Amino acid sequence: MLVLALDTATPVLVAGLARWSPDGGTSVLAERAVPSSNRHAELLTPAITGVLADAGLAMGDLDAIVTGLGPGPFTGLRVGVVTAAAVADARGLPVYGVCSLDAIGSGERTVVTDARRKEVYWAAYDHGGARVAGPGVVRPEELARPGPFVGDPVFEGRLGADVAAAEVTTAGLVRAAEPQLIDPSSAGALVPLYLRRPDATPPTAVKAVSQA
Amino acid sequence: MGGEALVLGFETSCDETGVGLVRGRTLLADALATSMAEHERFGGVVPEIASRAHLEAMVPTVHRALADAGATIDDVDAVAVTSGPGLTGALLVGVAAAKAYALALGKPLYGVNHLAAHVAVDELEHGPLAEPSIALLVSGGHSSLLLVPDLAQDVQSLGRTVDDAAGEAFDKVARVLGLPFPGGPPIDRAARDGDRSAIGFPRGLTGPRDAPYDFSFSGLKTAVARWVEARQRAGEQVPVADVAASFQEAVADVLTAKAVRACRDHGVDHLVLGGGVAANSRLRALAEQRCAAAGIVLRVPSPRLCTDNGAMVAALGSRLVAAGVAPSSPDLGADSSLPIDVVSR
Ligand SMILES: [Zn+2]
């Protein structure tokens, strides 16, 4: 089956096309990783058009959509999730959400990505690649994991450990979605992994506008 | 009629997730989800809460619009979306969704200006807009006076608020009076039993040397709060109905006086009202009275279409399709401060 994989949880948006089958595994036909910082909404649909052109395929050839649900900075994250939901809805296709951190690196590892506000999003995986802890958000100094670390090397100093640079990949997204691709009835709702509550505080009392 | 394009419109600039379907100038569906109740305890719209709600509501609201119109997604000929102005995070959900639907369906996409869409929606109820028209758009997010020579490609700003939007002043005065959020409807209701000439609240920017078409509501809001606090400090009962009626009168007086003046100054004899505050009964009554006296034809969409919705975006999209305006480029994004003279981008 032909899978369109999308992720906007990190500053590098990913759009990829992969051929997947339960016995034949995954072969990536086209992939675009676009450094886009806060321009995900501008650049994601052109990237989708691009990978379809690269592979010589059309919208009508797609069989399923996979999308990263984060964690990641909220505004960009929602762009990928709503794009996946809308493409799937328009084409009548199934859509599967995965934890974006699952799609970074492979094997035994702790994944760290930039959560801003001096924190990292993280998750830990065993030697078989199964997630055993996280996803969570924490100050790197307080992340008590043995490593090895993969993800965003900018946190090496604050983790006090090496971080092998690694990013979300099409192959990683499809791998993370495999249980849902095999058993579509196991698919969950497309709800982003926000991990933080919205910043908002109710007004305590009506403020006096004039002085006594 | 059958030859006209079916346009799907998306609106997510604030707290309403709107999806509309319009064919030509015929309104087929106007599905709406709102996160208003979630903002209530904060006394104003919280952008992150609104953005989360847009994402959740998006696909179900599209389905509701299609069901209401008796259409399927494959019937759609073009997609339009509010590209700005508005809250960035909220806008982006609608822009990304609209781009994805357009791409997946292989249909053109039009990123449009929210304010121009407020004007366009009136065509669904009252037929082709007279051009030029003057438009007065007042809501919790905007207060603008526009000159509209050609809605598809030439909309000019005459004036705008220099501080608070009119709707914000309603929210703040409601809070001072202990009325619920959003403040427009409860103030309108309370004012029914009040005397609108009871208190002479200030009319901002109405002096001879002030900008003739700009608005200011911050001083009015402060004056109301001071007046109420003074009563409270003196241990007196606050006459809520009189305060509400007098405040509402000050807002309606300034808005309608400036709109009528803009019509006169520009030799324009059609005025369109739009935005949530256009649902205010006193504003509508005073606008009718003053327009009639000045020989101006007043057009006001029904209250449901005055507030933010997807139909207004579809209506403007439909107008752009009919005018042969070029669709947006594939790298369309959101612009929180999109200038009014950019009707589509
Ligand atoms: Zn509006």
Side-chain angles (χ1 to χ4, degrees), chain B residues 287-303:
Chain B
E288 269 163 32
Q289 185 189 318
R290 288 182 172 173
C291 282
I296 296 165
V297 178
L298 176 68
R299 293 176 41 150
V300 193
S302 57

Side-chain angles (χ1 to χ4, degrees), chain B residues 11 13-14 114-115 118 138-142 274-276 306-309 312:
Chain B
E11 156 59 36
S13 67
C14 192
H114 178 85
L115 297 178
H118 269 304
V138 272
S139 75
H142 30 82
C306 278
T307 50
D308 293 351
N309 63 77
M312 67 191 225

